């Protein structure tokens, strides 16, 4: 059963190994349907926050709530159904393109698979594959380019009905032309979902409801694009380069 998609991080402090804190006292509240962007330099802790929302790791200090429920009390398969993700490193399995796209939505029709592929700008390259949607992918999509693998992951997110979406450099391996092309699809993907987006290109985070600036695992600024620009701090520096 699907949830509304309110996500709250309360005083979250975390490290992968004892004695090395990666996130310090993180507080974020995402209302259902909001777009939350994380920005900050390499190693700031952006991916780590999404790792925790996905519950890839357990937290010892603080808590993460979805619709008011601590994620520790949500079954893993329910969490997987409610969170769609396109991550920095792609995940595909050996199976056909079609199976890979409808992973998590085995009930999806062929038509839905094609619609999702079109949203992800993947339809045309899939059609050029030897067996189209029935082409078998080698383990982890070894017979595709990194960018094509990302597009398949985007198609998978598009077909999912999950109310929460995590985009971690979702189009980082896609060429600029395709990236330009896919913008509308990405908007469609985010529509009506609580979205956490991480992108180096700051133009893609501009319209976020909240932009959160991280530095060494701490939130140093938080606000909308206009607010942060007016503030003239770190975000302003990053934005004006
Ligand atoms: C933040 C460490 C990493 C860095 C810090 C994912 C991961 C990270 N780290 C680990 O020790 N183990 C891990 O599995 O945590 O890293 P991040 O959250 O990946 O940073 P980022 O996403 O802001 O950086 P980038 O380069 O993706 O922009 O000290 O060593
Ligand atoms: Mg990262």
């Amino acid at each position: 059963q699907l949830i509304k998609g309110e996500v709250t991080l309360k005083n979250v402090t975390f490290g992968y190994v004892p004695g090395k804190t990666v996130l310090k006292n993180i507080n974020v509240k995402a209302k259902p349907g909001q777009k939350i962007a994380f920005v900050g330099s390499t190693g700031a802790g952006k991916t780590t926050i999404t790792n925790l929302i996905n519950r890839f790791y357990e937290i010892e200090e603080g808590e993460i709530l979805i619709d008011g429920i601590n994620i520790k009390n949500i079954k893993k398969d329910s969490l997987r159904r409610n969170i769609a993700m396109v991550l920095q490193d792609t995940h595909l399995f050996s199976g056909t393109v079609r199976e890979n796209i409808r992973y998590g939505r085995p009930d999806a029709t062929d038509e839905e698979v094609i619609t999702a592929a079109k949203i992800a700008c993947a339809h045309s390259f899939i059609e050029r594959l030897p067996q189209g949607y029935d082409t078998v992918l080698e383990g982890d999509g070894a017979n595709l380019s990194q960018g094509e693998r990302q597009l398949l992951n985007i198609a998978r997110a598009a077909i999912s009905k999950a109310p929460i979406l995590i985009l971690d450099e979702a189009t980082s391996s896609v060429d600029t032309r395709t990236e330009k092309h896919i913008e509308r699809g990405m908007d469609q993907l985010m529509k009506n979902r609580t979205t956490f987006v991480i992108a180096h290109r700051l133009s893609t985070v501009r319209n976020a409801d909240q932009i959160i600036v991280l530095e060494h695992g701490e939130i140093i600024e938080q606000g909308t694009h206009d607010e942060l620009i007016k503030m003239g701090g770190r975000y302003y520096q990053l934005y004006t380069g």
Side-chain angles (χ1 to χ4, degrees), residues 13-125:
T13 294
F14 174 80
Y16 291 93
V17 290
K20 190 176 176 286
T21 307
V22 170
L23 293 175
K24 286 178 215 116
N25 199 33
I26 300 295
N27 287 287
V28 175
K29 189 177 182 108
K31 292 190 190 128
Q34 274 197 333
K35 177 176 172 182
I36 313 292
F38 293 113
V39 304
S41 2
T42 289
K46 306 180 295 292
T47 295
T48 301
I49 292 187
T50 61
N51 279 344
L52 298 183
I53 295 170
N54 266 319
R55 209 175 153 210
F56 291 161
Y57 297 88
E58 301 296 336
I59 47 173
E60 256 114 65
E61 287 180 71
E63 53 187 14
I64 300 178
L65 311 168
I66 295 182
D67 287 3
I69 301 166
N70 193 314
I71 58 169
K72 284 184 178 164
N73 300 321
I74 300 175
K75 288 204 182 82
K76 287 250 165 121
D77 64 321
S78 166
L79 207 58
R80 294 280 73 82
R81 252 198 327 279
N82 281 286
I83 305 180
M85 49 190 156
V86 185
L87 304 181
Q88 253 173 330
D89 45 334
T90 54
H91 298 273
L92 297 167
F93 56 86
S94 38
T96 66
V97 168
R98 190 190 317 279
E99 286 161 352
N100 267 279
I101 292 177
R102 69 173 180 211
Y103 171 84
R105 277 280 323 279
D107 60 303
T109 64
D110 288 354
E111 210 184 325
E112 285 179 296
V113 170
I114 292 171
T115 304
K118 283 183 177 164
I119 290 172
C121 287
H123 181 67
S124 59
F125 95 75

Side-chain angles (χ1 to χ4, degrees), residues 77-182:
D77 64 321
S78 166
L79 207 58
R80 294 280 73 82
R81 252 198 327 279
N82 281 286
I83 305 180
M85 49 190 156
V86 185
L87 304 181
Q88 253 173 330
D89 45 334
T90 54
H91 298 273
L92 297 167
F93 56 86
S94 38
T96 66
V97 168
R98 190 190 317 279
E99 286 161 352
N100 267 279
I101 292 177
R102 69 173 180 211
Y103 171 84
R105 277 280 323 279
D107 60 303
T109 64
D110 288 354
E111 210 184 325
E112 285 179 296
V113 170
I114 292 171
T115 304
K118 283 183 177 164
I119 290 172
C121 287
H123 181 67
S124 59
F125 95 75
I126 293 169
E127 286 212 299
R128 272 184 271 110
L129 293 173
Q131 272 84 42
Y133 283 85
D134 296 313
T135 306
V136 175
L137 298 181
E138 289 156 31
D140 232 357
N143 44 345
L144 298 176
S145 79
Q146 191 58 41
E148 289 167 339
R149 284 179 234 173
Q150 280 197 321
L151 298 185
L152 287 189
N153 275 253
I154 293 169
R156 181 186 289 167
I159 209 168
S160 144
K161 288 183 170 151
I164 300 170
L165 175 66
I166 292 175
L167 302 174
D168 189 352
E169 304 287 359
T171 55
S172 57
S173 302
V174 171
D175 64 70
T176 17
R177 201 177 132 264
T178 312
E179 202 181 24
K180 196 87 209 131
H181 223 72
I182 207 174

Side-chain angles (χ1 to χ4, degrees), residues 24-28 38 49 211-222:
K24 286 178 215 116
N25 199 33
I26 300 295
N27 287 287
V28 175
F38 293 113
I49 292 187
I211 297 170
I212 291 168
V213 186
L214 286 167
E215 208 166 83
H216 306 304
E218 287 183 270
I219 296 179
I220 56 162
E221 287 171 19
Q222 193 162 1

